Amino acid sequence: MPGRRIVELAIKAEPFERVVRRIAGGDNRFWVGGLMGSSKTLLAAVLRKRFPHVWIVIAPGLSDAEHIYDDMVTYLGEESVQLFSEWETLPYERRSPVSTITRSRLVTLDRLIQGEPVVVVTTPKAMMQRTLARRLL
């Protein structure tokens, strides 16, 4: 619970409030700089709290995505965040993907189809990998 309390305090902090006001005012193209460490994910958590939509957070690599996912779970709770992992096997390899990755990807896609206001943490590679057609899911 302490992580969720931090988000509630950050929502009221002037720098975060300024970003929220700009987005609420329709300003959808601006630069936020000077954020270090977990303050980036704290801003994402504040935005998710203020604007409960689907949010996609794209990290440069899998280990970055896992760190962001852990931070977001601390700030928002596990029910609000989903890790969309990348396949660890190549299409032509003769082995099955890891079952936890398959489950993670399917659960993420199902939650998106259901319209849940979830934060999806992923990587460019995971975003480019093919999925089942919506009608099959």
Side-chain angles (χ1 to χ4, degrees), residues 27-73:
D27 190 356
N28 59 8
R29 297 189 89 184
F30 59 93
W31 179 262
V32 177
L35 299 174
M36 302 177 107
S38 293
S39 63
K40 297 172 191 174
T41 51
L42 181 57
L43 175 59
V46 165
L47 294 175
R48 163 56 177 77
K49 280 288 208 181
R50 292 296 306 246
F51 305 101
H53 308 289
V54 172
W55 287 86
I56 309 289
V57 178
I58 302 175
L62 187 55
S63 84
D64 294 313
E66 289 169 344
H67 290 296
I68 292 169
Y69 171 79
D70 290 341
D71 283 352
M72 295 301 283
V73 166

